[in-house]
Amino acid sequence: MKKIVILCLLIVGIPTQVFAQQKVPILVYHSIDEFQGHGIKELYVTPGNFEEQMTYLKNHGYTLLTFERWQDIKKVNKPIFITFDDGYKNNLNAFAIFQKLETKHFKPTGTIFVISDFIGRSNRLSKSDIKMMVASELISIQSHTATHPDLTKIVNYEYELKGSKEKIEKISGKPVLALAYPYGSFNEKVVTETMKYYHFGITTTPELFSEKDSKNELYLIPRIYVKYSTTVNDFAKALKAE
Ligand SMILES: [Zn+2]
């Protein structure tokens, strides 16, 4: 009897061990479009490549999460976050691919970090784009500040952090919990200000996330860039990178 109890404890103990060392990829994209010669090519991923990457996640049993479900990283199989910075209009291409790949068993979800003062500009998402995507429950809209400044060089944190959060919440009707620092730029002051209004601060430090219970770790969340030149092979490797 004792032996059985010990065996049971061992089996129950294993998953906790696995989760303790778990590394969660948080990917960052910008434009999902063909590159037409404008801007920086590496900030584009073609819709064809994006679909191939999302299909890889689908076929390999990943669970796509958004920041509302952060606690689920400990509960789901192969958690991963797909994020998009700057709120480009062409993120509608990613949304269409999510809709195409959705099945009963695979729910592709992602987070778009919009710049609140840029909403409705010609190459950016409009209020109605945002409302439509949020209603689908496939996209979460979070903040990338009001005007995309380098946050280490400003003084008007209230406008950039609180103002953008409130403006986005008014459009989406959902809580804004996460802030992506423009240019991935932050310092202690930026983290302190972010903590006043957000639960998460997102950087572009190129690592997988692993819980260390270190101070401020939820305000220093790392992300892996997916680029124009990223092949599906590179993509698969990046998800497991040390
Ligand atoms: Zn940006």
Side-chain angles (χ1 to χ4, degrees):
M1 189 63 186
K2 243 185 191 172
K3 267 185 188 165
I4 292 168
V5 171
I6 289 167
L7 190 65
C8 287
L9 282 174
L10 277 174
I11 291 165
V12 171
I14 288 163
T16 332
Q17 274 287 314
V18 171
F19 287 132
Q21 289 150 17
Q22 185 186 38
K23 295 194 173 197
V24 182
I26 299 153
L27 307 181
V28 54
Y29 293 86
H30 289 77
S31 284
I32 305 298
D33 210 349
E34 302 298 336
F35 180 65
Q36 310 275 18
H38 307 292
I40 301 165
K41 193 174 184 181
E42 286 289 44
L43 294 182
Y44 283 74
V45 170
T46 67
N49 284 350
F50 184 75
E51 184 169 341
E52 197 179 7
Q53 291 160 8
M54 295 306 111
T55 303
Y56 177 92
L57 299 180
K58 180 178 181 172
N59 293 341
H60 289 80
Y62 281 86
T63 306
L64 280 58
L65 296 176
T66 56
F67 292 93
E68 295 83 353
R69 294 185 63 196
W70 181 260
Q71 291 309 321
D72 289 357
I73 63 176
K74 293 180 181 174
K75 297 177 196 157
V76 302
N77 191 30
K78 294 182 163 182
I80 187 168
F81 292 72
I82 308 299
T83 73
F84 307 86
D85 277 10
D86 301 344
Y88 288 111
K89 192 84 173 172
N90 59 43
N91 288 181
L92 290 170
N93 295 329
F95 176 63
I97 291 163
F98 278 176
Q99 286 182 306
K100 185 177 160 185
L101 295 179
E102 185 180 13
T103 64
K104 219 171 149 186
H105 303 290
F106 182 68
K107 190 177 177 188
T109 58
T111 302
I112 300 178
F113 288 100
V114 299
I115 304 157
S116 62
D117 280 6
F118 292 7
I119 294 168
R121 288 192 183 178
S122 64
N123 63 342
R124 311 281 171 161
L125 296 167
S126 66
K127 282 186 188 179
S128 58
D129 294 330
I130 289 172
K131 286 177 201 284
M132 178 269 293
M133 288 193 286
V134 168
S136 77
E137 297 187 340
L138 298 181
I139 298 289
S140 167
I141 304 290
Q142 301 293 314
S143 176
H144 198 28
T145 73
T147 68
H148 206 269
D150 179 338
L151 291 175
T152 65
K153 296 187 174 135
I154 65 158
V155 288
N156 56 341
Y157 289 100
E158 189 155 334
Y159 183 74
E160 292 294 342
L161 305 187
K162 184 166 176 255
S164 64
K165 175 186 162 85
E166 287 172 354
K167 188 170 175 180
I168 297 162
E169 285 176 343
K170 216 174 148 193
I171 298 167
S172 69
K174 304 264 181 181
V176 169
L177 312 169
L179 176 80
Y181 308 123
Y183 316 103
S185 181
F186 63 90
N187 58 18
E188 229 178 282
K189 169 77 176 162
V190 171
V191 169
T192 305
E193 291 295 327
T194 303
M195 282 175 150
K196 292 183 187 172
Y197 314 108
Y198 296 89
H199 296 288
F200 306 97
I202 321 296
T203 74
T204 51
T205 307
E207 289 168 10
L208 303 181
F209 175 83
S210 57
E211 208 165 34
K212 298 177 189 93
D213 288 324
S214 63
K215 189 177 156 251
N216 300 342
E217 71 181 345
L218 295 183
Y219 294 87
L220 305 171
I221 293 180
R223 287 190 296 178
I224 309 275
Y225 263 102
V226 185
K227 300 174 188 165
Y228 189 88
S229 59
T230 304
T231 66
V232 76
N233 241 342
D234 298 335
F235 180 81
K237 269 188 212 154
L239 305 180
K240 290 158 200 142
E242 283 310 305

